[in-house]
Amino acid sequence: MIELTKTRRLTIAVVAFILLIIIGFLTLRNPKYIYSISTQEMLDELKKGNGQTDIKELEEILTSGDNSVVSVDLRNPYEFEKNGLVNAVNIPVSEIMTDESISFFEDMQSELKEVIIYGENHLVSNSIWMILRQLGFDNINVILHDYSVLQDQNVKIINLSQNAENKLETPITDFAEYINNNAGISIENSGQKEYTKQIIPTRRKKKAATAGGC
Amino acid sequence: MSRKYLILTIVAIIGAVVLLFLPERSNQNEIKPEDLFKEVTNPSRYLSVDHVAQRIIEQDPSILLVDVRSEDQYKEFSLSGSVNVPLDSVLSVNKQDYLNRDDLDVVLYSNDDLYADQAWILCARLRYKNLYVMKGGLNEWYASILNPKEPSETAPIEDYELYSFRLAAKQYFLGGSSIEIDGGSQKENIIVKRRTKKAVTAGGC
């Protein structure tokens, strides 16, 4: 047996170390999609109301024939065939994360075009908008209304319905007033923890990142 | 020292230093965008107002209602037993104990369901589980529970059962005499007319 002298062992160890590093670099796989903004930044965008387009603005844009704005319909192809808007691109929700669609959005971004997306209802369009925004597409605006508001008639122009005027998150009525007027028993400060329920906030211990070895 | 060893050591040190300063690519606390997309397009997070009402009535201890509206709106009115986490502060550290729970079902709601859904998506990216959104929000609550619509005569029986559930829920939330009986108030005296039974004229005489 070859007796490994101390220096030989050291050399082998160092060479192995270097090899490991090189292999690590080679096998480093870049993740396919990365978030380009943090959750806090996303929340800030929401607070500012960025990217939420009004129906009236959409109508103005589409009837003006402005080529720098592209509208994207998120519904499924059958619905789009039935009553999609003219010049709209159809990208169903299930195909939003395909290579094709992502490269479409990247093209739009590099051509400095604005994209307006809308879908079946405000929940669908909002979710897709948030995902695309977090992937870094900041040129996308969303219409937060149900599609029925955009529906066309015989000729393919937008027909604004009365509902378009309602803003989404306003309460239908003053709830407190309604409760006070209609409650059989008087409810004082209605709503705050009426039945005793202990909410014990659990403090979660931050798990230390398990270090390799000991 | 011979050159060979010197070169080896230098390469090793350089490699180690590069590793030290390598930018942190994967964030362990967040899910990948593809997974977020799958979570977001999965509609199982939406709970109907009827479902939530039932759990409140049953005093289900495994539910926690979270109001994501502003503090003023919360103080004015909110569902019983709910806590307030305004959308603006949904990421602040002291609110995470309400949102990041593995022992309760946390149901988010707002006036409609947009803000609740936005809060849900932000939390989903952070891998929070057990979060749900009440579909339709308080506007739907008002329309279905507080003002249930009587189903048409041709409606299936499930609609009637739902309607009577909603009436009962309304009674629970608004108190006893809030149900209007069609045709008049409860104070109306019902006068019972007694009809004297006429003797049956027998056949013949």
Side-chain angles (χ1 to χ4, degrees):
Chain A
M1 294 303 291
I2 303 172
E3 240 181 58
L4 292 173
T5 61
K6 190 171 175 196
T7 44
R8 279 252 175 85
R9 262 183 257 144
L10 213 55
T11 325
I12 290 172
V14 173
V15 170
F17 178 71
I18 294 175
L19 268 174
L20 274 174
I21 295 180
I22 293 174
I23 290 174
F25 274 122
L26 288 176
T27 55
L28 190 71
R29 259 174 278 125
N30 276 344
K32 193 163 183 193
Y33 303 112
I34 25 175
Y35 296 117
S36 69
I37 58 173
S38 68
T39 35
Q40 184 59 51
E41 287 167 352
M42 183 72 233
L43 183 58
D44 293 335
E45 290 274 301
L46 289 176
K47 277 192 230 177
K48 285 190 249 165
N50 280 348
Q52 295 175 14
T53 306
D54 211 78
I55 294 272
K56 285 223 165 79
E57 290 173 35
L58 176 66
E59 191 195 29
E60 282 167 16
I61 290 168
L62 288 181
T63 48
S64 74
D66 191 354
N67 272 349
S68 72
V69 178
V70 179
S71 51
V72 172
D73 195 326
L74 296 172
R75 303 174 304 151
N76 64 53
Y78 309 108
E79 301 277 323
F80 182 69
E81 277 295 312
K82 266 201 308 189
N83 56 4
L85 298 177
V86 199
N87 298 328
V89 178
N90 182 225
I91 302 182
V93 171
S94 52
E95 295 175 17
I96 279 281
M97 292 285 267
T98 57
D99 295 334
E100 238 184 87
S101 319
I102 296 289
S103 60
F104 168 79
F105 286 115
E106 284 170 352
D107 291 340
M108 290 294 119
Q109 200 171 28
S110 58
E111 291 170 22
L112 299 179
K113 291 201 176 156
E114 210 180 275
V115 179
I116 298 188
I117 64 173
Y118 47 87
E120 189 67 44
N121 54 43
H122 60 273
L123 293 172
V124 168
S125 19
N126 174 66
S127 347
I128 299 299
W129 173 72
M130 279 180 75
I131 288 192
L132 290 173
R133 181 67 191 89
Q134 287 175 87
L135 288 175
F137 298 111
D138 53 1
N139 60 332
I140 300 188
N141 289 346
V142 65
I143 302 276
L144 288 174
H145 287 277
D146 293 359
Y147 189 76
S148 53
V149 173
L150 295 174
Q151 213 150 36
D152 60 340
Q153 300 261 293
N154 297 326
V155 190
K156 289 204 172 189
I157 54 172
I158 303 177
N159 194 355
L160 290 181
S161 76
Q162 291 296 87
N163 291 335
E165 292 302 319
N166 284 348
K167 290 219 132 178
L168 200 57
E169 278 274 355
T170 44
I172 282 182
T173 173
D174 188 346
F175 296 119
E177 199 184 304
Y178 176 82
I179 296 283
N180 282 336
N181 291 341
N182 289 302
I185 49 178
S186 71
I187 301 177
E188 282 181 10
N189 23 309
S190 72
Q192 290 177 38
K193 311 213 178 159
E194 271 181 10
Y195 60 94
T196 51
K197 181 169 142 177
Q198 293 295 333
I199 298 181
I200 306 160
T202 50
R203 293 242 160 255
R204 228 170 279 263
K205 267 201 186 149
K206 249 210 166 109
K207 296 200 186 105
T210 47
C214 67
Chain B
M1 282 245 275
S2 68
R3 271 187 64 199
K4 185 173 68 165
Y5 293 130
L6 206 59
I7 292 173
L8 272 180
T9 357
I10 289 176
V11 172
I13 292 179
I14 290 176
V17 168
V18 167
L19 275 183
L20 189 67
F21 288 109
L22 207 59
E24 196 180 302
R25 284 282 181 81
S26 62
N27 196 340
Q28 294 299 333
N29 288 335
E30 299 186 346
I31 61 176
K32 295 189 284 188
E34 306 94 89
D35 297 334
L36 181 62
F37 173 71
K38 282 194 206 136
E39 295 270 330
V40 154
T41 47
N42 182 356
S44 63
R45 66 177 177 273
Y46 297 119
L47 299 178
S48 68
V49 288
D50 304 305
H51 177 102
V52 176
Q54 175 136 30
R55 287 173 84 166
I56 295 180
I57 292 174
E58 292 170 358
Q59 307 219 350
D60 187 345
S62 70
I63 194 173
L64 173 61
L65 294 167
V66 172
D67 189 337
V68 297
R69 302 174 301 158
S70 68
E71 206 175 312
D72 301 328
Q73 293 190 353
Y74 171 75
K75 288 214 176 97
E76 213 180 274
F77 169 77
S78 89
L79 298 177
S80 60
S82 62
V83 295
N84 184 221
V85 176
L87 181 59
D88 294 347
S89 57
V90 82
L91 293 178
S92 65
V93 180
N94 53 351
K95 303 287 188 185
Q96 301 312 302
D97 286 331
Y98 290 132
L99 299 170
N100 190 8
R101 304 198 73 106
D102 49 5
D103 53 341
L104 302 172
D105 290 337
V106 180
V107 179
L108 307 167
Y109 68 89
S110 56
N111 280 329
D112 205 289
D113 42 20
L114 178 69
Y115 292 162
D117 211 39
Q118 290 176 338
W120 190 93
I121 294 176
L122 289 172
C123 293
R125 178 170 160 182
L126 299 173
R127 290 184 188 275
Y128 290 0
K129 302 286 172 206
N130 295 337
L131 278 173
Y132 299 90
V133 171
M134 183 165 88
K135 191 147 200 210
L138 288 177
N139 285 346
E140 181 69 26
W141 180 273
Y142 175 82
S144 305
I145 304 286
L146 300 183
N147 292 294
K149 289 194 202 57
E150 194 169 347
S152 65
E153 284 175 3
T154 52
I157 194 146
E158 291 88 21
D159 288 2
Y160 275 97
E161 288 168 3
L162 186 62
Y163 177 63
S164 47
F165 164 77
R166 287 176 175 174
L167 277 181
K170 175 178 177 174
Q171 201 160 20
Y172 175 88
F173 289 113
L174 291 184
S177 58
S178 62
I179 304 284
E180 280 175 15
I181 298 177
D182 221 10
S185 72
Q186 285 174 314
K187 304 230 178 102
E188 198 180 274
N189 282 335
I190 301 171
I191 305 166
V192 178
K193 265 205 176 126
R194 293 222 168 272
R195 224 184 292 226
T196 49
K197 249 199 164 116
K198 292 201 191 108
V200 176
T201 48
C205 62

